[in-house]
């Protein structure tokens, strides 16, 4: 049966429903497909799709999120490709669209993430399970014990150049959800910033993400040399930036983080 769907960018695709050969180009959405109960239907994932481990070990890998191996994807002959507007490159997605139906998510906040979970559930014929996951996440964030003080936070995603999460990102929304303030909320996407500039903004907390740049303890020392008064620590980037079913694990993680810093 052929059926039409619209993605989160307004693009319409026609697929053979339900899809039987799915390629996922986004780690958090790959994990969601697993948690929705799919198995053999997913035939290709990226080298960054590390969850679940059994898929990472056994599924065909089709390159990185921004450096896809188009030929490998074509060999898999997918009847559905699931992508993301930010994590994948426009040129490669447009190339894939010439031959295959590509469904694209566009995530800026938790509300978008919940919508994505539900829409992918419908797309892959797992609507009931998807709705259940979305409801559990929404209720979890609703009951999350937030910070009692709105501390000013800077969240680093890269070094050389130093880059932080701006205000129109999913990461920034996660920071706000736990009761803190993104000190760079007036900037868009992932602005570059010098440590001298950041010092002038007087952040109270500096978070160094484990991904996409693998920050280590030595980077804490580097930042403390410039901004000694801020509490600087390493955090699990998956818990702040994976907008699929991993959000279920993010809720208790964020609660522990707030408690630790408080």
């Amino acid at each position: 049966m052929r059926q039409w769907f619209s993605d989160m960018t307004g693009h319409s695709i026609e697929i053979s429903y339900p899809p039987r050969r799915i390629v996922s180009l986004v780690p958090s959405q790959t994990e969601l497909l697993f948690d929705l109960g799919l198995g053999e239907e997913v035939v290709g994932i990226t080298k960054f799709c590390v969850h679940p481990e059994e898929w990472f070990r056994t599924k065909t890998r089709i390159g990185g999120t921004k450096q896809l191996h188009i030929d490998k994807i074509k060999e898999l002959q997918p009847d559905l490709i699931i992508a993301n507007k930010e994590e994948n490159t426009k040129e490669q997605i447009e190339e894939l669209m010439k031959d295959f139906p590509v469904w694209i998510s566009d995530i800026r906040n938790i509300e978008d993430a919940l919508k994505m979970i539900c829409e992918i559930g419908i797309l892959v014929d797992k609507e009931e399970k998807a709705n259940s996951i979305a409801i559990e996440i929404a209720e979890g964030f609703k009951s999350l014990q937030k910070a009692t003080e709105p501390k000013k936070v800077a969240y680093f995603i890269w070094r050389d150049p130093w880059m932080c999460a701006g205000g129109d990102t999913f990461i920034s929304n996660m920071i706000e959800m736990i009761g803190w303030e993104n000190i760079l909320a007036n900037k868009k996407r992932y602005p570059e910033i010098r440590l001298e500039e950041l010092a002038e903004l007087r952040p109270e907390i500096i978070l160094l993400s484990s991904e996409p740049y693998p920050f280590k303890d030595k980077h804490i020392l580097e930042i403390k040399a410039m901004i000694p008064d801020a509490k600087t620590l390493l955090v699990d980037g998956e818990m702040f930036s994976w907008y699929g079913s991993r959000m279920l694990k993010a809720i208790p993680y964020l609660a522990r983080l707030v408690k630790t810093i408080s």
Side-chain angles (χ1 to χ4, degrees):
M1 179 175 69
R2 305 292 296 179
Q3 197 160 326
W4 284 91
F5 294 89
S6 292
D7 68 17
M8 297 180 73
T9 69
H11 172 69
S12 294
I13 61 170
E14 186 183 19
I15 66 171
S16 176
Y17 187 81
R20 296 303 182 195
R21 297 187 61 79
I22 302 169
V23 168
S24 175
L25 309 182
V26 184
S28 58
Q29 293 174 177
T30 296
E31 184 179 40
L32 171 63
L33 294 173
F34 175 81
D35 288 335
L36 288 177
L38 296 184
E40 293 181 359
E41 297 94 338
V42 178
V43 296
I45 62 176
T46 78
K47 66 179 182 180
F48 300 123
C49 295
V50 295
H51 302 298
E53 185 183 354
E54 61 192 83
W55 280 15
F56 182 68
R57 286 188 281 105
T58 60
K59 299 288 184 185
T60 299
R61 298 184 206 168
I62 44 76
T65 51
K66 295 190 183 299
Q67 293 181 317
L68 302 169
H69 297 158
I70 303 294
D71 290 344
K72 270 194 175 183
I73 295 174
K74 288 182 176 180
E75 287 174 7
L76 291 173
Q77 285 296 299
D79 52 18
L80 174 64
I81 297 173
I82 299 178
N84 175 263
K85 183 178 178 179
E86 179 176 271
E87 294 197 44
N88 305 124
T89 61
K90 182 181 178 182
E91 293 76 17
Q92 288 200 305
I93 293 302
E94 287 177 345
E95 185 175 350
L96 288 170
M97 282 178 168
K98 295 175 183 177
D99 298 304
F100 308 105
V102 182
W103 190 94
I104 306 169
S105 64
D106 186 12
I107 314 292
R108 300 298 176 95
N109 51 49
I110 292 171
E111 184 179 349
D112 289 341
L114 296 176
K115 180 182 178 184
M116 176 274 294
I117 290 170
C118 293
E119 291 192 5
I120 284 184
I122 296 171
L123 187 66
V124 300
D125 197 23
K126 297 289 183 181
E127 183 176 4
E128 186 177 346
K129 180 62 175 176
N131 290 344
S132 175
I133 290 172
I135 289 169
E136 189 176 351
I137 292 170
E139 290 177 347
F141 275 103
K142 192 175 180 180
S143 61
L144 177 66
Q145 190 69 42
K146 295 186 178 183
T148 54
E149 297 179 36
K151 293 185 180 293
K152 296 178 180 178
V153 178
Y155 185 104
F156 277 100
I157 65 154
W158 202 257
R159 179 185 177 277
D160 196 22
W162 295 100
M163 295 173 68
C164 288
D168 60 343
T169 60
F170 180 78
I171 292 169
S172 186
N173 189 230
M174 292 286 271
I175 291 169
E176 293 163 2
M177 281 297 293
I178 55 179
W180 291 338
E181 294 178 4
N182 181 1
I183 205 167
L184 293 172
N186 63 329
K187 304 289 186 181
K188 291 187 179 298
R189 308 318 296 151
Y190 303 98
E192 294 182 16
I193 188 166
R194 293 181 295 109
L195 293 184
E196 294 85 351
E197 293 178 286
L198 186 61
E200 293 176 2
L201 297 176
R202 297 186 177 182
E204 297 169 273
I205 302 171
I206 296 175
L207 304 177
L208 304 182
S209 179
S210 60
E211 61 169 45
Y213 186 90
F215 283 103
K216 306 295 182 186
D217 287 331
K218 63 182 181 181
H219 301 118
I220 294 179
L221 298 176
E222 188 176 356
I223 289 175
K224 277 195 168 296
M226 291 293 301
I227 315 172
D229 295 334
K231 185 174 182 63
T232 305
L233 65 157
L234 303 172
V235 293
D236 186 339
E238 292 177 359
M239 300 303 178
F240 279 90
S241 63
W242 282 40
Y243 39 75
S245 46
R246 181 140 296 248
M247 293 167 70
L248 291 170
K249 295 181 175 68
I251 294 164
Y253 176 87
L254 295 172
R256 290 193 299 271
L257 181 64
V258 169
K259 188 175 181 181
T260 299
I261 290 181
S262 299

